[in-house]
Amino acid sequence: MDALTVSVVLLWAAVIALGLLLWALSRQVGVLFERVAPMGALVTDAGPAVGTASPSFALRGIQSEPVTIGGAAERPTLVFFLSPTCPVCKKLIPVLKALVRDERRRLSVVLASDGEQADHLRFVREQGLEAMPYVLSTELGMSYRVSRLPYAVLLDAQGTVAAKGLVNSREQLDSLLNAHDMGTPTIQQYLGGSAA
């Protein structure tokens, strides 16, 4: 055998070995994907339960816009509780902007907080949140029993609490929307086979 034949045989052996390694690696990734379920929003037992009617609020936004939360609406509403001093809330603002831009026909987004109006108006300008209704209401947060931020409540078009929870990432926020689309209170219940 000459050197060319030996090198071709060795190259084919290397290609076959790499193919087997790629197959084994892809199989392992599949196994890991099945074992590691997506982490949904952290659902708390406080506040109105998923599947019950939300309290209704007729509020005025900090930019003097009328805002209605609860009751029948033309589309579902995501009420996102945040604070100007919350770093995780600020991290999720681009996600909320994209949600408003991409889902405006299917979903309304309302930002909610409490505190001094001047601080929140400055926050709205700094973050470019003028396109979203922004309400200041201690009563709203107390009704939903919001104890930590950022927190989101998704109401369906009939004003029923469809999903809710503490959201620290885009995936957790998406899990609320996905749970609503799948007709289940939480992604965890859906994965566990106990969808309501």
Side-chain angles (χ1 to χ4, degrees), residues 5 19 32 46 52 61 98 108 123 125-126 186:
T5 305
L32 287 174
T52 63
S108 298
F123 180 65
R125 282 191 305 275
E126 288 171 357
T186 66

Side-chain angles (χ1 to χ4, degrees), residues 66-91:
V67 179
T68 302
I69 297 173
E74 61 183 75
R75 57 186 170 265
T77 303
L78 177 72
V79 183
F80 188 82
F81 292 88
L82 75 165
S83 168
T85 59
C86 169
V88 178
C89 301
K90 289 178 184 176
K91 181 182 83 170

